[in-house]
Amino acid sequence: MTNKLISALLTVIVTLQLSGCASAPEPPAYEPPDINNLLGQAQAAQKRGQYDAALKHYLEALEQQPGDADILFHIGQVQTQLGNTEYALRAFQDVLKKEPDNIEALTALALHKLKAGENQQARTYLTKAKNLDQQRLLSANHQVLVGDGDEQALQPLDKTSPLRCYNALGILHDLSGEYAQAREMYQLVLARAPGAANVLTNLGYSYYLDGDLRQAEIHLRQAVQKQPDFKRAWTNLGLVYARMKHYKRALVSLKQVMPEADALNDLGYFAMLEGRYADAKELFWRAIDASPIYFAKAQDNLEKLQEMQGKSVTAHSSYRPMPLLMEANYKAEVSNSVTAEIAGEN
């Protein structure tokens, strides 16, 4: 093969290689997922209870829109649902840095503070959220909020009002002994969500703390009718009946949430604390009869009862709410026990 032929062949080969390289497709440039699709997938996953997947999509959306308050709020919600309190608080605080008057973030942050027992901070956030909502409602009616709003009649709530905010404020009022103000908050919520069993329960318990046992019974009965599996309502109804000395009704109520022997023992202890020693003794013995495993516990209570009788301890003549279920009941599931009706309106 002559040198000229070899040179010609090499030229053809190189030309073919170059043309092959030129015709090879270049890899496509990276295109981030459509943010609307990401948010749609996140919301759908959140509704299905797939919180890890929802969080992933929200974080991807946040990468495309850093600092977006709405996305940050949803991240805070999901982190709350996952039990990641620290990250949830950080997300809600980031929302407030962007939008200091964001009512939803103020309410969500307050509920975390309330659950942690930081009542004063919770009250500060909730009061601000309530005042912002009331100002919005007044503006819609061409009125103006005067001062801090405490002396002004509260406006009825609408579909965008933060119902959980008003419910939580009611709880804080009750814990401070401000029963009339507490009930005003609950009634505002119930006007929008009459089937909210947890709010009916809070209202009934507020009446219980204030000594109005009849109204307490009425609202707690409504709560268990609306939501028959709501344990806190049954427990509080049992307490009301016990204070009324309606032990049969109290037993029926408490048996909805605990075994009969437990209910009898608890009723006996309640009666003992109130100075009803004969009632307490009978209830303790009934607990023993209902379950032999209660023999030791009931015997201890009977010995304590005899000791109290020996000291001639009697119940105080004026009404005094028992501490058995006060703050513990209210803190329990403050942010999670809200009914679907409230969640849908919030």
Side-chain angles (χ1 to χ4, degrees):
M1 186 176 294
T2 65
N3 288 338
K4 288 184 179 181
L5 183 56
I6 292 172
S7 177
L9 287 172
L10 286 173
T11 301
V12 171
I13 291 171
V14 169
T15 303
L16 289 173
Q17 287 176 337
L18 288 174
S19 95
C21 290
S23 62
E26 295 184 3
Y30 171 74
E31 292 185 9
D34 180 73
I35 191 166
N36 291 324
N37 287 339
L38 283 173
L39 292 174
Q41 291 172 339
Q43 291 164 3
Q46 189 175 358
K47 287 180 180 179
R48 293 193 300 267
Q50 298 171 341
Y51 301 125
D52 288 315
L55 180 60
K56 175 180 177 293
H57 294 312
Y58 280 129
L59 290 173
E60 289 177 353
L62 190 64
E63 287 182 1
Q64 295 190 39
Q65 293 187 1
D68 184 278
D70 188 58
I71 297 174
L72 283 168
F73 177 76
H74 285 295
I75 288 173
Q77 279 188 319
V78 174
Q79 295 284 25
T80 297
Q81 290 158 331
L82 287 169
N84 300 328
T85 301
E86 182 180 350
Y87 292 117
L89 290 174
R90 192 180 303 171
F92 294 135
Q93 288 163 349
D94 286 344
V95 174
L96 293 177
K97 288 177 185 177
K98 296 285 183 180
E99 300 179 0
D101 291 344
N102 188 300
I103 293 176
E104 288 185 326
L106 286 166
T107 299
L109 192 56
L111 293 177
H112 276 282
K113 297 296 183 182
L114 180 57
K115 191 173 184 180
E118 299 174 30
N119 293 353
Q120 190 54 52
Q121 277 193 290
R123 191 164 190 153
T124 299
Y125 288 125
L126 290 169
T127 300
K128 181 176 180 179
K130 183 261 292 182
N131 288 343
L132 287 167
D133 186 57
Q134 285 293 307
Q135 181 62 68
R136 179 186 62 81
L137 294 167
L138 286 165
S139 297
N141 295 324
H142 307 290
Q143 300 180 50
V144 178
L145 185 69
V146 179
D148 59 8
D150 288 343
E151 303 300 324
Q152 195 163 352
L154 293 173
Q155 297 294 301
L157 309 186
D158 65 12
K159 64 181 181 180
T160 62
S161 292
L163 301 189
R164 292 188 303 166
C165 168
Y166 290 89
N167 183 45
L169 267 176
I171 290 169
L172 287 172
H173 282 307
D174 268 336
L175 292 176
S176 300
E178 300 160 351
Y179 305 126
Q181 295 96 314
R183 292 195 289 271
E184 183 179 19
M185 296 296 162
Y186 300 141
Q187 295 285 12
L188 283 170
V189 177
L190 289 169
R192 287 294 308 171
N198 68 316
V199 184
L200 284 166
T201 299
N202 289 345
L203 178 58
Y205 197 60
S206 182
Y207 277 116
Y208 168 80
L209 293 174
D210 204 16
D212 191 339
L213 301 182
R214 178 57 182 154
Q215 285 298 318
E217 178 193 11
I218 289 172
H219 291 92
L220 288 167
R221 285 176 63 87
Q222 289 176 356
V224 297
Q225 288 169 358
K226 295 291 185 181
Q227 189 175 335
D229 62 347
F230 193 29
K231 293 183 178 181
R232 186 157 59 90
W234 283 112
T235 302
N236 289 348
L237 184 58
L239 281 181
V240 170
Y241 284 138
R243 181 167 285 282
M244 290 175 160
K245 301 182 183 179
H246 297 164
Y247 293 118
K248 289 184 178 180
R249 293 183 182 180
L251 181 60
V252 170
S253 298
L254 293 179
K255 281 171 63 177
Q256 303 297 317
V257 298
M258 65 182 73
E260 181 176 2
D262 284 335
L264 288 165
N265 186 71
D266 287 358
L267 286 173
Y269 196 77
F270 183 92
M272 180 178 69
L273 291 177
E274 294 222 307
R276 303 173 190 168
Y277 301 128
D279 292 340
K281 186 176 182 179
E282 179 186 352
L283 289 162
F284 288 143
W285 279 114
R286 288 179 63 188
I288 293 173
D289 291 339
S291 176
I293 65 171
Y294 266 85
F295 183 81
K297 184 185 291 187
Q299 283 292 343
D300 289 342
N301 287 334
L302 285 168
E303 289 176 8
K304 190 178 297 184
L305 173 61
Q306 290 174 350
E307 181 182 348
M308 293 178 72
Q309 285 178 302
K311 292 180 180 179
S312 300
V313 178
T314 58
H316 198 281
S317 57
S318 62
Y319 177 80
R320 178 170 51 90
M322 299 303 297
L324 296 177
L325 292 176
M326 287 186 63
E327 193 161 345
N329 261 0
Y330 277 174
K331 286 182 180 177
E333 301 178 1
V334 169
S335 62
N336 297 325
S337 68
V338 180
T339 63
E341 184 170 5
I342 283 188
E345 293 279 352
N346 197 23

